[in-house]
Amino acid sequence: MPALLSKSLRDYRWTLIGWTIGISAFFGLYLSIYPSIVRNPEVYGPAALAKFPGAMRDLMGGMSDFTSGVGFLQTVVYQLIGPMLLISCATILGNRAIAQPEEDGTLELTLTLPVDRRRLLLARFAGLVLGLLVIAAITFLLVWGLAAAGGMEVAGSRILAGHTGVFLLALCCGTLGLAVGAATGRKMYASAVVGVVALGGYVVETIGRSVDAISWLGWISPFHYYLDGQPIQQGFPVVDYLVLLTATAVLALTAVLAFDRRDVGV
Amino acid sequence: MRCMTAVVETEGLTKFYGDRRGLEDLDLEIRLGEVFGYLGPNGAGKTTTIRLLLDVIRPTRGRMTVLGVDPRDARVRGRIGYLPGELALAGREKASEYLSFLAAARGGVPRERIAELADRLDADLSVRMGKLSKGNKQKIGLIQAFMHEPEFLILDEPTSGLDPLLQQEFLAMVREVRTAGRTVLMSSHVLAEVEHASDRVGIVRDGRLVAVEDVAALREKAVRKVEFHFDAPVPREEFEGLPGVRELRVEGASVRCTIDGRPDALIKAAARHTVVHMVSAEPDLEEIFLTYYGDEETRHARAAVEEPA
Ligand SMILES: Nc1ncnc2c1ncn2[C@@H]1O[C@H](COP(=O)(O)OP(=O)(O)OP(=O)(O)O)[C@@H](O)[C@H]1O
Ligand SMILES: [Mg+2]
């Protein structure tokens, strides 16, 4: 493995380990309560959930049937919490690529290696892709295993489709953070931009759908290209996922160009 | 291949940070095989110059070549070793792992070479980088700058944080590099730190290069403060008007003055009495600025304050 890439992975290592454990623990805890939910339909069934206000249900992706495996998995893992956890992790990794080493001063020495800046940035980006892939793969296996063990009766291919979407969404947001960090050298800007885009995008894609004033914003929300196709229910929304991939590529390219032309550490 | 006598050549090199001037109109030449001391007070523009040469920051205007090429070409950095002035080492990585990474990114450095340098500087490579003391960070910085035996070493305040013994060891390393015909640029606040290893020094102040001098010539010009204490009061007349002696103060059994150039006449005058104690301060850079490179008014003002009328 090239030195720069393995160094990137080493820089990301502790973040990756920490978040893998954290996300796994979270998923493990919530998915293991599924059997008890199935046994109490009067508390969690469609009739009970209908009592929640409409906007609240929109925000949680409908919450139509908590007692079916698909509905439970969607609401607990794939609607909001799973994507947000992975997006947070991706943002931290994206910051570790450029902005953090720039802020703590360690980037200067790396820049004075006989390595083109563009290659350095691509190596950091490749580290982000690989790191997220590892965490996505591990958490996929966990969800898949727990879904099977808990008798949720959701096809593995659907879980794979949902998990792929979460991975692509998180990668897109992480790359956005990386690009802002590469252009400005500031962690705070990167985190703020990703925060606004992720939270705003989620709200626009859920509650916003029924609010005419903002519903047209849907196409700009990264969540649109994950949630709209309902991967857990419908399988891979190929075109939507390609949009996420393309956006990621464009952001990575922007990061390369922006980083290549500016002063570092000022 | 390429005809090269200048390792660094800059022309009108200028850097503004927004409105703030970092460096203005620098014309600098560093010759092949020399050790060039780059001197200046805080905020003078030393680090700015060095970061420009390494393409960490980009000039506002002006032109430069390093080892004959534009520093935008990343390959040239393979021939350079760099010690940053504000060296930051952080994280849980061990120093040895970090050095291995830098070595690999530079296309490989023999393990023994790193071990030998670590041994020489008495550096412990098993410590996590975030836990290194200032001096130990500096040692790691020096190891990575020297390890690949670069043609050109750029060292920004290399001796900061090193104890006197290590400063000596470092200066020995610099001399070896020069003997091998390689080139060094090192910055410092004080002449004393670099004069024993440098061939030439450049003095930068307020973003401008005010002088480039041979070290030998500079030392001739340097003003040093001298103090003599005698066993009995001495007459002022004997010390007045001696060549190079200025700011003379005679108080009872002590004589204080500054000496410019050769101290011979002063020493001989003092030798006529019994000297019990003598202090000769290293010439300080500020003194040279004030004496030779403009700022005449400040000098006169200072002289007026120090010299009792
Ligand atoms: N990132 C920056 N933003 C704004 N001004 C800067 C920046 N870096 C340096 N400067 C300014 O440029 C001038 C030169 O700074 P530089 O760091 O090159 O000085 P220096 O000679 O290395 O000083 P020192 O001995 O303190 O290291 C100073 O006035 C400084 O305030
Ligand atoms: Mg400096």
Side-chain angles (χ1 to χ4, degrees):
Chain A
M1 202 187 301
L4 286 173
L5 180 57
S6 60
K7 167 73 173 158
S8 303
L9 288 175
R10 254 184 296 140
D11 287 349
Y12 301 160
R13 180 172 53 190
W14 294 104
T15 308
L16 280 173
I17 292 175
W19 279 82
T20 306
I21 293 172
I23 294 177
S24 300
F26 186 89
F27 286 177
L29 207 66
Y30 276 79
L31 291 181
S32 60
I33 60 171
Y34 178 68
S36 74
I37 284 178
V38 177
R39 272 183 265 112
N40 296 294
E42 67 283 1
V43 184
Y44 301 105
L49 294 177
K51 285 183 222 141
F52 282 91
M56 172 78 181
R57 271 183 289 130
D58 279 350
L59 197 62
M60 289 314 293
M63 303 208 307
S64 49
D65 58 342
F66 214 51
T67 45
S68 81
V70 169
F72 180 78
L73 208 55
Q74 173 69 29
T75 309
V76 168
V77 171
Y78 288 105
Q79 177 65 26
L80 174 64
I81 298 163
M84 284 302 178
L85 285 174
L86 250 91
I87 287 173
S88 306
C89 173
T91 310
I92 291 172
L93 293 180
N95 269 333
R96 286 197 161 252
I98 300 291
Q100 175 160 336
E102 180 162 354
E103 280 185 8
D104 69 26
T106 53
L107 186 60
E108 183 170 348
L109 207 50
T110 317
L111 271 190
T112 58
L113 292 169
V115 177
D116 194 271
R117 275 200 202 182
R118 288 166 292 192
R119 278 196 41 216
L120 171 64
L121 192 120
L122 287 176
R124 306 297 284 180
F125 172 66
L128 168 69
V129 177
L130 284 180
L132 270 184
L133 200 57
V134 167
I135 199 169
I138 293 173
T139 50
F140 163 71
L141 291 175
L142 182 86
V143 172
W144 182 57
L146 287 171
M152 289 186 207
E153 291 171 345
V154 185
S157 64
R158 293 289 161 82
I159 299 179
L160 182 63
H163 227 87
T164 305
V166 175
F167 165 71
L168 291 175
L169 178 67
L171 179 61
C172 185
C173 290
T175 310
L176 174 64
L178 185 148
V180 175
T184 64
R186 301 276 187 279
K187 271 193 298 190
M188 214 182 64
Y189 295 160
S191 309
V193 168
V194 177
V196 167
V197 167
L199 288 174
Y202 182 75
V203 169
V204 165
E205 177 58 22
T206 52
I207 311 180
R209 299 180 77 118
S210 47
V211 181
D212 289 340
I214 53 170
S215 59
W216 60 273
L217 274 171
W219 71 272
I220 212 174
S221 159
F223 268 95
H224 177 73
Y225 301 96
Y226 162 61
L227 287 176
D228 197 50
Q230 299 190 313
I232 295 292
Q233 292 88 347
Q234 319 275 334
F236 275 92
V238 176
V239 175
D240 285 355
Y241 283 6
L242 282 178
V243 172
L244 285 176
L245 264 179
T246 310
T248 303
V250 169
L251 286 168
L253 192 67
T254 312
V256 168
L257 296 177
F259 186 57
D260 195 38
R261 66 180 49 202
R262 77 178 170 89
D263 292 349
V264 168
V266 297
Chain B
M1 189 178 72
R2 90 172 67 82
C3 162
M4 196 182 68
T5 49
V7 169
V8 170
E9 234 178 333
T10 75
E11 225 178 83
L13 193 64
T14 301
K15 178 67 188 177
F16 277 84
Y17 300 96
D19 289 338
R20 258 189 103 76
R21 180 174 66 187
L23 189 69
E24 192 159 6
D25 280 329
L26 179 79
D27 297 319
L28 184 68
E29 189 201 55
I30 296 175
R31 298 174 196 146
L32 185 64
E34 77 175 340
V35 176
F36 189 89
Y38 199 46
L39 299 176
N42 288 126
K46 304 181 294 294
T47 300
T48 300
T49 309
I50 286 171
R51 287 188 173 144
L52 284 167
L53 296 177
L54 288 154
D55 194 43
V56 174
I57 56 177
R58 297 335 181 357
T60 309
R61 73 188 125 78
R63 209 187 52 79
M64 62 184 151
T65 60
V66 176
L67 292 163
V69 297
D70 187 319
R72 286 299 287 268
D73 184 347
R75 281 169 302 180
V76 73
R77 295 196 289 268
R79 302 155 64 194
I80 299 176
Y82 171 50
L83 174 71
E86 288 139 47
L87 178 64
L89 302 173
R92 290 177 230 230
E93 220 174 3
K94 283 186 181 150
S96 56
E97 290 175 313
Y98 185 60
L99 288 172
S100 305
F101 154 65
L102 293 174
R106 288 190 174 280
V109 172
R111 238 169 230 290
E112 307 80 65
R113 170 82 183 141
I114 296 178
E116 175 209 331
L117 281 169
D119 205 40
R120 195 163 174 190
L121 292 169
D122 193 23
D124 182 357
L125 301 186
S126 64
V127 180
R128 295 190 193 283
M129 300 242 286
K131 303 242 186 287
L132 288 167
S133 70
K134 180 168 166 47
N136 282 314
K137 277 191 182 157
Q138 199 71 357
K139 292 179 194 173
I140 305 301
L142 285 170
I143 293 172
Q144 63 80 32
F146 280 81
M147 67 183 181
H148 53 295
E149 309 200 312
E151 284 167 59
F152 182 28
L153 271 162
I154 300 182
L155 311 168
D156 196 356
E157 290 178 40
T159 52
S160 80
L162 295 183
D163 64 43
L165 221 60
L166 278 162
Q167 289 194 16
Q168 290 311 314
E169 193 59 47
F170 160 74
L171 289 174
M173 282 162 62
V174 169
R175 279 188 219 105
E176 285 162 27
V177 165
R178 179 176 50 181
T179 310
R182 295 183 276 135
T183 312
V184 181
L185 162 62
M186 59 178 179
S187 81
S188 176
H189 295 123
V190 277
L191 179 61
E193 246 171 41
V194 296
E195 64 174 351
H196 302 293
S198 303
D199 300 300
R200 291 195 306 152
V201 296
I203 296 168
V204 60
R205 189 172 64 162
D206 278 341
R208 290 177 177 279
L209 191 68
V210 288
V212 177
E213 289 280 358
D214 247 47
V215 169
L218 196 69
R219 210 175 291 156
E220 287 262 303
K221 289 182 179 177
V223 173
R224 46 182 91 216
K225 283 197 164 82
V226 183
E227 261 181 63
F228 289 99
H229 298 271
F230 302 98
D231 66 344
V234 291
R236 183 182 171 92
E237 307 81 64
E238 285 188 25
F239 295 90
E240 261 170 356
L242 293 174
V245 169
R246 278 192 264 164
E247 295 170 32
L248 179 67
R249 275 197 299 181
V250 181
E251 284 160 1
S254 71
V255 171
R256 291 187 176 81
C257 65
T258 63
I259 177 86
D260 191 346
R262 294 187 176 172
D264 187 61
L266 176 67
I267 301 284
K268 285 184 172 140
R272 289 200 285 271
H273 304 273
T274 309
V275 181
V276 293
H277 181 55
M278 178 193 158
V279 181
S280 167
E282 277 296 311
D284 94 62
L285 192 60
E286 195 63 19
E287 219 81 33
I288 303 174
F289 287 151
L290 296 177
T291 316
Y292 290 99
Y293 303 108
D295 233 13
E296 282 295 307
E297 279 170 38
T298 321
R299 191 176 79 81
H300 289 309
R302 186 195 254 211
V305 171
E306 289 189 355
E307 225 164 345

